[in-house]
Every structure is written in structure tokens, then in C-alpha cells.
Amino acid sequence: MKNAPPRKGPTVAAKPVAERAKRLVVLVSGSGTNLQALLDEIAAVGAEAYGAKIVAVGADRENIEGLARAERAGLPTFVRKVKDYDSREEWDAALAEAVSSYEPDLVVSAGFMKIVGKEFLARFGGRFVNTHPALLPSFPGAHGVRDALAYGARVTGCTVHFVDDGVDTGPIIAQGVVEVRDEDDESALHERIKEVERRLLVEVVGRLARNGYRIEGRKVVIQ
Ligand code: GAR
């Protein structure tokens, strides 16, 4: 039997090229365990599958474990200290410029203990994510854990939210709940919050990056 002529297969539409991994700049001020959780997840599943990769880590101070973690991961780092600038506005513009040079899709404040200003928000508003160790709108500010304990709250937790021009007032993306124990001090409670927080941040950033999102007033809709 003669060989049959090669049959033309059905026309298959070209697969859409996989969306590139989104670019993240992470800002830190301290131990950087939230940063580490992001690094570990991306290393475990790969940037493409996670939907994002960290392209740089910035800080407002030197000699912190957060920067050391970034360096060990081979990432570029930068430091912009408030005291090196004549005004808070100049610092804010310098921070915005440094972040911008890495062309991020999302900026993540993972324990970054500074309030950014107008210039930063003009460039990164709507794509600047913060994690806070309390259930906002309760206990905003620099001492979310201490303030919840002092108040006598029986549950607290963490909030991942977009940053707006208030202090921890931006649209909430996700929250995790942690029970307060009678024997808790600030450090024990913060450690338990951080266990929940790291998982939540990794999950939220990945979903934002992979699925896209829109902000409708105070609601964040992940597509
Ligand atoms: C986290 O608990 C974060 O929510 C908090 O700092 C910790 C950083 O931990 N941020 C704030 O309090 C901001 N107001 P890490 O350096 O180990 O990731």
C-alpha cells in the first residue's frame, strides 16, 4: 500500500505566550522574614509558576537581616536613609526613583517602617502592597501588636492591603486571624502573627501577579 500523503492536522491556534513573571521590588526595614517567605516560594515553584520574581530589595537603613537575605539570594539592593536628605520630600522622591529604576509591576512593603509620600504614591499608587500585623482598621501604625495587646483584644492578626495616603488606611486585600493567649507578650504574639502573615503575603502577592486585579473604591477584586 502506498504511503498515505501526510495529513494536515487541524489548525491549532497558537498558544498565547505565557505572561511574563511580574517584577517585584520589596522594601524592608528589619529581619525580612516576609521577604524570605517570598524568596523561598519563588525558588520552590519557579518565577513563572508563581507569577512574579523579585528584582530588587530596598531599605531605609543599613545592616539589617532583610538586606543580608537579599544579598544571599543574589539580588540587587539599595538603601535610602531619611537622614541623608534635606527634607522628607527629597527622601521620598529618591526612594521613588530608586524603586522605579527596577521597573516593578508591584512594590511590596514587607516590614518597611516608613510612610511614603506624594511622589512615591504618584508613581506606585494602586500597586504598592503593605503587610501590617493587626486586623485593620484596628491598631494601625508602628505598634500594631503592642497596641492590640494593650487594648485587651482577644483576636488580632494581619492585613495585606494597598497603600494609600493615610497610615494603614488603604483598600484591604486579605486578612488572617490569630487568637491572643493570656500568656502572650508582644514578641510571642508577633511571632504567631508572622507565621500567618508570611503565608498570607505569599498567597496574595502570587494571586495579584498571576490573575491581575482591580480596585473598586475600598474593594480589591482579584480577577
Ligand atoms: C511584620 O510583622 C510586618 O507586618 C510589620 O513588621 C514585621 C516585619 O517582619 N510591619 C509593620 O509593623 C508596619 N507597620 P519581617 O521583617 O520579619 O518580615
Side-chain angles (χ1 to χ4, degrees):
M1 200 177 101
K2 264 186 167 179
N3 282 340
R7 282 205 306 169
K8 266 197 176 167
T11 314
V12 181
K15 254 191 172 175
V17 176
E19 287 255 319
R20 69 171 172 83
K22 298 287 190 297
R23 299 171 63 83
L24 307 178
V25 169
V26 180
L27 300 178
V28 295
S29 297
S31 62
T33 65
N34 280 283
L35 163 67
Q36 190 67 55
L38 287 164
L39 287 169
D40 290 349
E41 181 69 8
I42 293 166
V45 304
E48 289 293 327
Y50 182 65
K53 61 181 175 187
I54 299 175
V55 293
V57 174
D60 62 331
R61 60 197 78 183
E62 285 159 339
N63 302 320
I64 53 171
E65 184 57 20
L67 286 175
R69 289 176 193 276
E71 280 154 19
R72 286 199 293 273
L75 291 170
T77 62
F78 58 90
V79 175
R80 296 294 179 276
K81 295 186 223 170
V82 173
K83 71 172 178 55
D84 290 344
Y85 296 87
D86 288 339
S87 67
R88 188 82 186 196
E89 288 71 29
E90 281 177 41
W91 168 79
D92 182 60
L95 181 72
E97 191 56 40
V99 170
S100 181
S101 70
Y102 292 99
E103 301 181 345
D105 297 295
L106 285 173
V107 184
V108 180
S109 158
F112 186 62
M113 301 304 280
K114 288 281 182 300
I115 307 291
V116 299
K118 280 203 174 75
E119 174 76 30
F120 194 95
L121 288 175
R123 295 213 205 179
F124 300 110
R127 53 200 178 104
F128 184 28
V129 174
N130 179 46
T131 177
H132 180 75
L135 293 173
L136 295 172
S138 292
F139 312 118
H143 306 292
V145 182
R146 190 185 307 173
D147 294 345
L149 258 184
Y151 194 88
R154 299 311 312 190
V155 291
T156 184
C158 50
T159 303
V160 179
H161 65 98
F162 282 109
V163 179
D164 67 5
D165 58 2
V167 176
D168 299 325
T169 51
I172 289 171
I173 310 167
Q175 295 183 296
V177 177
V178 174
E179 281 192 23
V180 179
R181 295 180 187 156
D182 291 340
E183 65 275 18
D184 269 338
D185 60 11
E186 183 180 354
S187 134
L189 179 57
H190 200 172
E191 273 315 306
R192 289 209 314 291
I193 291 172
K194 282 169 73 166
E195 281 171 25
V196 175
E197 186 178 30
R198 289 189 281 263
R199 285 196 296 273
L200 191 70
L201 184 68
V202 165
E203 187 217 310
V204 165
V205 169
R207 282 173 55 217
L208 293 172
R210 287 188 302 273
N211 301 359
Y213 60 91
R214 55 185 197 277
I215 303 173
E216 294 174 349
R218 290 218 48 89
K219 290 234 170 86
V220 178
V221 182
I222 300 181
Q223 282 135 4

